[in-house]
Amino acid sequence: MLWIDRLIKPSPTNAPPSPGEFVRNDLAVAATVLFAFILALGVRNQVYNAAQYATLNDGRLRIAYPERWVLREQSEVGFTALHLASPSAYDTRVEVSSRPLREGETLERARFERSLQLASELTAYRELESVAMQAIDGAPAIVTTYGFVADPMRELGAIDLPVVVEAQDIQFVHDGWVYVISLRADAAHWESAARSFAVVRNSIRLRTPDRTASAPDAAGGFEGAARP
Amino acid sequence: MQLHPFHEGGPPESGATTQRGFLRSISFELLGLFLFVAIFHLFSAIGPALDETGLLLLSLVMAVVPALLWLAVFYRIDRAEPEPKRLVLGVYLMGLLLMAALYQPLFGVVFAVESWLRAYGWSHLVGGVLVTGMASMAIVYAAVRIVVFGNPEFDERLDGIIYAVAAGLGVATVHNFVYVFQHGGVDLDVGSIRIVVNALGYGSIAGVLGYFIGQARFEKTPLFYLPAGVVLSAALLGLYFFLVEQTGSTGLRAEFWRQLLLGLLLTLLVMGAVSWLVRRADEETARVAQLAATGDRWEPKPVETASDRGE
């Protein structure tokens, strides 16, 4: 019997189906739809986690960024990746930079230096929060959240309102290098960029400090733990 | 009323006439929708003259008109035994209410489609089938099953298509409402095309599922039969809207008329196909009834080849 025959005449008799068969069909349809929804969640997660990788400092560190983002300004010590389809004039982005740890330098000191640099470079820079975390190999990390005002349209020669940018710097020391991973987005779209930023965070295994480990807190200083 | 009129004596003599009337009505529907778009295209200049509230109200009316046009077609179809208006309207409203109730929880919260569906071509196609297609067709099935499936008025296979299309139009109306609200009132010419494209897609592809529902109402079907119908119609819906997006944009310029042509073509093809399938199913049912009366066993008709025709 061809499939088209089966489609046209699924039963060789004209006997009507019983009520039990109607219920059986309902259950079969419900199971099919449920299975499709589970597959859809898998597809969604596949899209969320789709990533590209950038390797820094002769392979010392490998950082992921969302696959749809475009790589810009790549060098051996850093890179910038932009989401060109961002809903704002200010493209959601990740900026990564690194430098060798100086003699006697601590993570806390490096963070202080970074704050000073940002305060002098950025318009209306405001530091909002700073928390202790752990990054790759359990290395102490400082995550600093801040905001500033950017004017991306003016840079392009167009007239539009400036944009309030929310940003988060993840600073840590790995293999004798200080890394700064800066996640930035229009403050109005920060929440919607969270999944994209999670790709970056997960690639450096950023997590809250393990209480059983001897991770220092922010007040106690990152000094000792940050030394390579 | 007789529940299974074909099981005893085969299809009524008006069967072929009904199919012709069905296709004629679909043609009138397409003509009506084409006029709908043409009118809004000609008078698109009134859009800028309206304030925001006026434009929004006009757009909401636009969102409902294609569905009403489709529903009007039902009163031309099946004149020998017209479907009760309250049932057709009831199925339409059930489809609309189910989709309205589930739209935000399903598309906004559980699947959050805005954040990933259009990320890639493949995710748009696969996600369109698995989320939009399956959810819409499940709602069509549920609406028909709840409102009319056990009703004695559901007394021929074609009714499965008619009621499923009504449910599909309810689903389309919600999608059109959302489209209108998301765009704060739509440009009259472009918006009218998009709204018609939605109505054509959901309405005609729900008709495919309606064929399977009609079969399952009157025949013993294998376990996979109805799920296959849901999967097939969901796949068609996902593919249709994927193609609509692809054909509607060339570079930065949107070619909305191509979308309309695609919608019209799809409706003609799908409605022609399901109409033919229903006619063949009715013929086979009549043949089985005759064979059963003479004690013979039913087998499908062999496919006619060129040598059979003496060529």
Side-chain angles (χ1 to χ4, degrees):
Chain A
M1 189 186 278
L2 294 173
W3 66 269
I4 189 81
D5 298 319
R6 194 83 172 186
L7 187 67
I8 290 168
K9 192 80 181 79
S11 166
T13 71
N14 279 351
S18 65
E21 283 171 291
F22 291 150
V23 175
R24 182 203 66 170
N25 286 340
D26 290 344
L27 293 175
V29 168
T32 307
V33 172
L34 199 62
F35 180 65
F37 283 172
I38 291 168
L39 282 181
L41 288 174
V43 171
R44 187 190 69 170
N45 291 341
Q46 195 76 19
V47 172
Y48 283 161
N49 297 325
Q52 297 188 65
Y53 292 88
T55 306
L56 303 176
N57 302 321
D58 293 329
R60 282 193 176 89
L61 190 64
R62 197 161 163 259
I63 297 176
Y65 58 94
E67 195 180 40
R68 287 168 286 156
W69 290 19
V70 176
L71 196 61
R72 293 275 166 84
E73 299 167 22
Q74 187 181 21
S75 71
E76 187 56 30
V77 294
F79 70 91
T80 298
L82 303 174
H83 183 211
L84 296 178
S86 298
S88 164
Y90 185 87
D91 292 326
T92 304
R93 67 192 63 189
V94 54
E95 293 178 4
V96 180
S97 60
S98 65
R99 61 171 174 76
L101 191 68
R102 295 182 200 114
E103 184 67 35
E105 187 182 21
T106 63
L107 182 60
E108 177 66 12
R109 198 164 297 166
R111 184 193 88 86
F112 180 69
E113 197 178 298
R114 167 84 176 164
S115 294
L116 283 179
Q117 181 197 352
L118 292 176
S120 63
E121 283 178 0
L122 302 174
T123 308
Y125 172 78
R126 277 308 133 71
E127 192 170 304
L128 304 172
E129 188 186 27
S130 186
V131 293
M133 302 281 279
Q134 280 184 345
I136 197 161
D137 295 337
I142 303 175
V143 178
T144 307
T145 306
Y146 57 94
F148 65 93
V149 173
D151 204 350
M153 295 308 284
R154 192 178 178 192
E155 289 163 15
L156 294 172
I159 298 172
D160 204 349
L161 291 173
V163 176
V164 175
V165 176
E166 187 166 345
Q168 201 170 65
D169 276 6
I170 304 163
Q171 218 166 345
F172 61 97
V173 176
H174 179 68
D175 263 358
W177 285 69
V178 181
Y179 291 89
V180 181
I181 298 174
S182 190
L183 310 171
R184 296 178 175 184
D186 184 325
H189 301 289
W190 179 261
E191 292 296 328
S192 62
R195 286 195 185 92
S196 300
F197 290 150
V199 172
V200 182
R201 289 195 191 100
N202 291 342
S203 73
I204 55 163
R205 295 193 279 285
L206 189 71
R207 62 190 183 281
T208 49
D210 187 356
R211 286 187 180 189
T212 57
S214 56
D217 58 27
F222 299 86
E223 312 260 336
R227 287 199 178 94
Chain B
M1 180 169 287
Q2 198 176 358
L3 261 182
H4 305 286
F6 299 168
H7 297 154
E8 304 298 329
E13 287 180 6
S14 62
T17 314
T18 302
Q19 307 302 329
R20 277 199 298 275
F22 180 70
L23 283 178
R24 195 164 51 240
S25 299
I26 297 299
S27 305
F28 277 121
E29 154 69 5
L30 293 181
L31 187 65
L33 289 175
F34 197 77
L35 283 175
F36 169 82
V37 171
I39 287 167
F40 277 102
H41 199 74
L42 284 174
F43 296 101
S44 59
I46 63 168
L50 295 170
D51 63 6
E52 199 172 317
T53 312
L55 191 61
L56 196 64
L57 285 174
L58 182 64
S59 301
L60 285 174
V61 171
M62 284 168 66
V64 179
V65 167
L68 292 180
L69 269 172
W70 266 109
L71 290 174
V73 164
F74 293 128
Y75 304 115
R76 289 189 47 82
I77 294 175
D78 200 14
R79 280 180 175 169
E81 197 180 354
E83 299 311 311
K85 291 177 186 178
R86 62 179 173 78
L87 279 182
V88 174
L89 198 63
V91 174
Y92 169 77
L93 287 175
M94 181 57 79
L96 188 149
L97 288 174
L98 284 175
M99 184 43 101
L102 293 174
Y103 191 93
Q104 184 56 21
L106 207 56
F107 297 125
V109 179
V110 177
F111 291 108
V113 290
E114 287 294 323
S115 63
W116 62 275
L117 197 74
R118 288 184 169 79
Y120 305 99
W122 67 266
S123 65
H124 192 185
L125 179 60
V126 178
V129 172
L130 294 177
V131 182
T132 316
M134 289 303 272
S136 301
M137 289 305 122
I139 285 171
V140 167
Y141 179 77
V144 174
R145 187 76 174 89
I146 292 166
V147 177
V148 77
F149 195 79
N151 195 297
E153 292 290 348
F154 193 155
D155 55 4
E156 57 178 323
R157 289 187 177 89
L158 194 60
D159 293 351
I161 298 172
I162 290 171
Y163 289 119
V165 170
L169 289 172
V171 170
T173 304
V174 175
H175 280 282
N176 284 339
F177 273 132
V178 171
Y179 178 78
V180 167
F181 278 113
Q182 278 180 347
H183 291 78
V186 291
D187 290 335
L188 293 183
D189 49 352
V190 171
S192 64
I193 291 176
R194 184 65 208 216
I195 282 165
V196 166
V197 164
N198 275 352
L200 289 174
Y202 285 103
S204 55
I205 291 170
V208 175
L209 178 58
Y211 170 78
F212 286 84
I213 294 174
Q215 289 281 51
R217 174 72 177 81
F218 299 112
E219 295 241 359
K220 283 183 181 295
T221 52
L223 184 63
F224 66 83
Y225 195 80
L226 256 179
V230 173
V231 170
L232 176 66
S233 47
L236 283 174
L237 195 72
L239 183 63
Y240 169 69
F241 281 107
F242 177 74
L243 289 176
V244 160
E245 297 284 331
Q246 299 300 311
T247 55
S249 56
T250 311
L252 294 175
R253 185 161 168 254
E255 299 281 359
F256 293 98
W257 284 97
R258 282 195 211 164
Q259 297 182 342
L260 184 63
L261 286 176
L262 184 70
L264 294 173
L265 190 66
L266 171 99
T267 306
L268 282 173
L269 280 175
V270 167
M271 286 301 161
V274 293
S275 176
W276 178 81
L277 284 170
V278 166
R279 194 175 69 240
R280 288 282 296 115
D282 287 347
E283 285 170 4
E284 287 300 294
T285 302
R287 201 158 68 85
V288 169
Q290 285 169 0
L291 290 171
T294 57
D296 288 335
R297 189 169 173 276
W298 177 83
E299 281 180 15
K301 277 182 178 173
V303 178
E304 194 179 3
T305 61
S307 59
D308 293 335
R309 292 192 297 268
E311 291 172 12

